[in-house]
Amino acid sequence: MKATTTGIARRDFIIAGAAATGGALLLGTITEARAISEVAPPLDRIGSSTPGAGEAPAISPQPGMPGEHYTPVTVPSGRALPWKIVNGVKVYHLIAEETEHEFAPGLKATCWGYNGAVPGPVIEAVEGDRVRIYVTNRLPAATTVHWHGVLLPSGMDGVGGLSQRVIQPGETFKYEFTLRQHGMLMYHSHHDEMTQIGLGMTGAFVIHPRQWRDPPVDRDFVIMLHEWRIDVDTRRPNPNEMTDFNILTMNGRAFPGTEPLVAKAGDRVRIRIGNLSPMSHHPIHLHGHRFRIVETDGGPISEAAQWPETTVLVNVGSTRTIEFIATVGDWALHCHMTHHVMNQMGHQFPNMIGVKPGDLDEKVRHLLPEYMSMGESGMADMATMGMSVPVNSIPMVGGAGPFDYITMGGMFTILKVREQLVSDTRDPGWYDSPPGTVADRATEAELRADGIKVVGSSGDHAMSHGSGGRHAHAR
């Protein structure tokens, strides 16, 4: 058997593989699920997904190689799955297992994932590659893996009971097929989905095109979206939750735990976004840019069918890929569902907006010494008021920013674009805006020059237009 490792050095592959798999690539103890019987035809156009019986599989004469056929993706807060080549086939090893996962500093939970990661590591390959993926089950329950959106033989589709028997605890199954498409796809458990996806068993499957796409991109990011119910003082996500999720994540991390996306000004940036949340769609909004949706999990979108957007809706079970030219600055990237940028505790408070508590706090403290009314003007101060939070929980909102606390949480991260970068991946720190380009308190002279008269201190303004102030509006 001839075995080579690519994408990373062989020594690194062995080390990484050992670390990821608990020290053993169990190729010698594999229980093969079924004989490989692939009959799918080459896929040379969108929609030609129906296998033709008797047609020979189209196997590329050479596995796709990083640098030669593609540039590897960047996974903020995550990583890619190591692989090696054995007799022309790319070989991967996924291990389904329980793992302790940190969602943000202060909040950890026991999840189910792959190779110690939540979501699982990104599987990266090239159109035309023959891939062989071993799946070892170290969970206390049976499982399977479905290759979401991948065009493959029915018996490799991973639906427990329908396309294969389930993988029992301790067993290792083999999946093998040829990749006949390219794009951002996904993988996830397809056995007891409510439990297993709810506990984190998802991942991205990126298939690069065999030929370089024009124009090429400089940055290629992968983000997987998810939502969780983790009650305060617990350490296990509740997969039975149907509607009231309280932790929303990008690549398994909630703000302020998310890693920024780093790019250089003028870079062509691609962001691949996949959503395997249990129940919610996510409108992902990028500040300071307009982009085009260039691809779905169904394939590329022709340039004539693309149009500019600032928000892309990523439905459950779907992926969307956007591209744009990076503009210098720090730019928010987040779900626009307001409850999806909140962390724990943000969903069970009574509405206190406008309430005037008077001496309520003093009276209640006779019974509850630490009682404090909150929320009368919103939740923005929750992270800075010094209030302690229960063990293993995080404040509803808040991460340190260059000016004030950033009153966001959950499904929120930052695109950091600089003219020059010290490192392609290292956080460059906060953007230092040029003088005169930061919003700040207006001076009396500025107000007077523009004919703005501030009435009182409540924020009411009177604006007069023209030198004579003939038209005045109060608001």
Side-chain angles (χ1 to χ4, degrees), residues 327-346:
T327 301
V328 69
D330 285 344
W331 306 107
L333 175 68
H334 63 94
C335 180
H336 223 288
M337 298 278 193
T338 57
H339 281 252
H340 293 182
V341 288
M342 299 286 284
N343 290 322
Q344 291 170 303
M345 303 167 58

Side-chain angles (χ1 to χ4, degrees), residues 321-371:
T321 298
I322 65 174
E323 289 185 6
F324 56 91
I325 303 299
T327 301
V328 69
D330 285 344
W331 306 107
L333 175 68
H334 63 94
C335 180
H336 223 288
M337 298 278 193
T338 57
H339 281 252
H340 293 182
V341 288
M342 299 286 284
N343 290 322
Q344 291 170 303
M345 303 167 58
H347 304 75
Q348 296 180 346
F349 274 75
N351 182 7
M352 295 286 287
I353 302 295
V355 170
K356 301 183 185 307
D359 60 354
L360 175 64
D361 289 14
E362 182 180 348
K363 293 179 178 177
V364 175
R365 282 174 188 153
H366 290 296
L367 299 173
L368 301 172
E370 296 183 358
Y371 178 82

Side-chain angles (χ1 to χ4, degrees), residues 12-309:
D12 291 341
F13 174 84
I14 294 172
I15 294 173
T21 63
L25 190 63
L26 303 175
L27 302 184
T29 59
I30 289 164
T31 300
E32 186 168 339
R34 59 182 62 229
I36 306 302
S37 178
E38 185 165 351
V39 292
L43 180 68
D44 56 4
R45 66 181 188 277
I46 296 174
S48 56
S49 60
T50 304
E55 294 184 56
I59 301 177
S60 170
Q62 176 189 354
M65 305 298 288
E68 180 177 351
H69 296 101
Y70 70 96
T71 299
V73 298
T74 299
V75 191
S77 305
R79 55 186 167 86
L81 183 66
W83 50 272
K84 63 181 179 179
I85 297 175
V86 179
N87 294 331
V89 178
K90 282 186 178 173
V91 177
Y92 306 78
H93 189 190
L94 279 177
I95 298 178
E97 60 187 350
E98 189 168 274
T99 184
E100 188 83 352
H101 176 68
E102 183 185 77
F103 290 85
L107 176 62
K108 293 182 179 179
T110 304
C111 300
W112 290 3
Y114 298 98
N115 299 60
V118 175
V122 175
I123 296 176
E124 204 168 9
V126 175
E127 183 179 24
D129 281 350
R130 182 83 174 175
V131 297
R132 183 178 300 141
I133 307 172
Y134 292 96
V135 178
T136 296
N137 182 7
R138 289 183 180 165
L139 297 170
T143 190
T144 65
V145 178
H146 165 57
W147 316 102
H148 188 110
V150 179
L151 304 174
L152 37 58
S154 174
M156 291 290 156
D157 197 39
V159 180
L162 173 63
S163 48
Q164 66 167 84
R165 68 179 180 85
V166 296
I167 309 171
Q168 294 294 340
E171 289 187 324
T172 297
F173 272 36
K174 181 177 75 176
Y175 296 85
E176 183 164 334
F177 42 87
T178 299
L179 303 176
R180 305 176 183 285
Q181 65 202 108
H182 61 264
M184 165 71 173
L185 307 171
M186 300 181 287
Y187 65 91
H188 60 82
S189 165
H190 216 302
H191 177 70
D192 190 9
E193 275 196 350
M194 184 193 78
T195 300
Q196 299 195 4
I197 290 181
L199 290 174
M201 298 187 69
T202 69
F205 195 146
V206 174
I207 307 174
H208 296 276
R210 171 63 53 169
Q211 302 297 328
W212 289 96
R213 290 164 63 179
D214 189 28
V217 297
D218 302 291
R219 312 277 167 172
D220 194 344
F221 297 101
V222 172
I223 294 177
M224 288 292 294
L225 309 176
H226 208 289
E227 60 191 357
W228 315 76
R229 176 74 194 197
I230 306 176
D231 292 318
V232 172
D233 284 338
T234 68
R235 297 185 66 89
R236 180 80 73 173
N238 179 4
N240 300 322
E241 180 60 56
M242 295 177 65
T243 58
D244 196 10
F245 300 94
N246 61 1
I247 293 292
L248 287 294
T249 57
M250 290 177 156
N251 286 342
R253 302 280 289 181
F255 190 79
T258 51
E259 286 188 1
L261 285 66
V262 178
K264 191 174 178 181
D267 278 353
R268 178 173 288 277
V269 177
R270 175 185 297 146
I271 304 179
R272 308 169 186 261
I273 309 170
N275 182 11
L276 284 175
S277 301
M279 298 296 289
S280 300
H281 312 309
H282 300 293
I284 302 298
H285 177 55
L286 174 61
H287 292 216
H289 296 78
R290 57 181 180 177
F291 54 74
R292 292 178 180 271
I293 305 171
V294 300
E295 191 176 275
T296 73
D297 39 338
I301 300 173
S302 67
E303 187 172 350
Q306 300 170 12
W307 62 83
E309 294 272 12

